[in-house]
Amino acid sequence: MMPRSTIEPIGFASLCHGIVAFSTLRDLHVDGGDSYARFNVCDYTGDAPAHIMACRSELCVALGIASGHLVMPRQTHSARVAIIDSDFMALNDDARSERLQGIDALVTPLPGVAVGVNTADCVPLLLRDVAAGIIAVAHAGWKGTVARIATRTVEAMQQLGAEPSRIEAAIGPSICPQCFEVGDEVVEQFAAAHFPVDAIVHRSAVTGKAHIDLWEANATALTEAGVPRELITLTHRCTRCNPERYFSARRLGIASGRTFTAIMRR
Ligand SMILES: [Zn+2]
């Protein structure tokens, strides 16, 4: 079994023992390690294939699933959502990879399948409608947030029978508003996409630079999509503030590991 310290549970508004939700932790030891240490399952940011496979296998053992039941997309900061159903599960590896290319959110009605996204400062969103048995995960960097990937994900869940009024959401480890300094051109994109700039943008009294609250921006998009605000949980864990626990692209550069945030119905 994986040491308990390698994964950290993510809580929702209510308790539901039939669904596991978690982020992986870097689990760095005192002697540190490289930018992919210790635990990374993302295979497109430059890590060694043998290390990635060892970490994936460790995770599958901990979750009690076969390797083919761990599903993650090849993210490109899009707002595209894929549905992981029995047809998808029947595909071979090449066909699956093709289907997952350029996808940034996954929705599934299947039990025993862990769907997750890889992030290092970007926002991982976890969603579930327990009554409908529908779960989802989305990667929302600032571009995906502006493109309302949160809304697209809720819509895909609805196609499978979920009700927005029942959907619970959790916003996983990602960059905090104090760490997320941006240029004014980014603020302009949020304004153009009709986000409430007054609520999500703050200016540093020291530098005058804009800081965006991606947690609040995604919570806003979710409530617009019909998810009750009281069912949205912000974990308030910052990836950049906690380098021993999470990967942070702002600290390590993009050639680094990723924190894997996932959800699975038992
Ligand atoms: Zn921070």
Side-chain angles (χ1 to χ4, degrees), residues 134-158:
I134 309 294
I135 56 174
V137 65
H139 155 239
W142 74 260
K143 288 177 184 165
T145 302
V146 164
R148 282 190 171 67
I149 192 166
T151 309
R152 302 288 92 80
T153 307
V154 169
E155 288 166 354
M157 292 176 77
Q158 281 182 270

Side-chain angles (χ1 to χ4, degrees), residues 7 166 243:
I7 57 176
R166 285 194 309 241

Side-chain angles (χ1 to χ4, degrees), residues 43-107:
D43 66 357
Y44 52 86
T45 59
D47 194 4
H51 180 239
I52 297 160
M53 293 320 293
C55 292
R56 285 187 183 183
S57 147
E58 185 178 325
L59 182 57
C60 286
V61 168
L63 294 173
I65 58 174
S67 61
H69 286 226
L70 178 66
V71 181
M72 59 189 85
R74 174 63 177 89
Q75 303 160 203
T76 56
H77 296 277
S78 78
R80 285 186 291 273
V81 185
I83 291 173
I84 305 303
D85 54 13
S86 48
D87 288 347
F88 174 89
M89 295 305 287
L91 298 173
N92 65 29
D93 287 353
D94 286 348
R96 281 181 176 211
S97 298
E98 206 170 300
R99 193 74 70 85
L100 294 170
Q101 179 67 36
I103 296 294
D104 285 81
L106 301 174
V107 177

Side-chain angles (χ1 to χ4, degrees), residues 175-176 178-179 238 240-241:
I175 196 162
C176 76
Q178 288 70 40
C179 287
C238 176
R240 188 168 175 272
C241 289

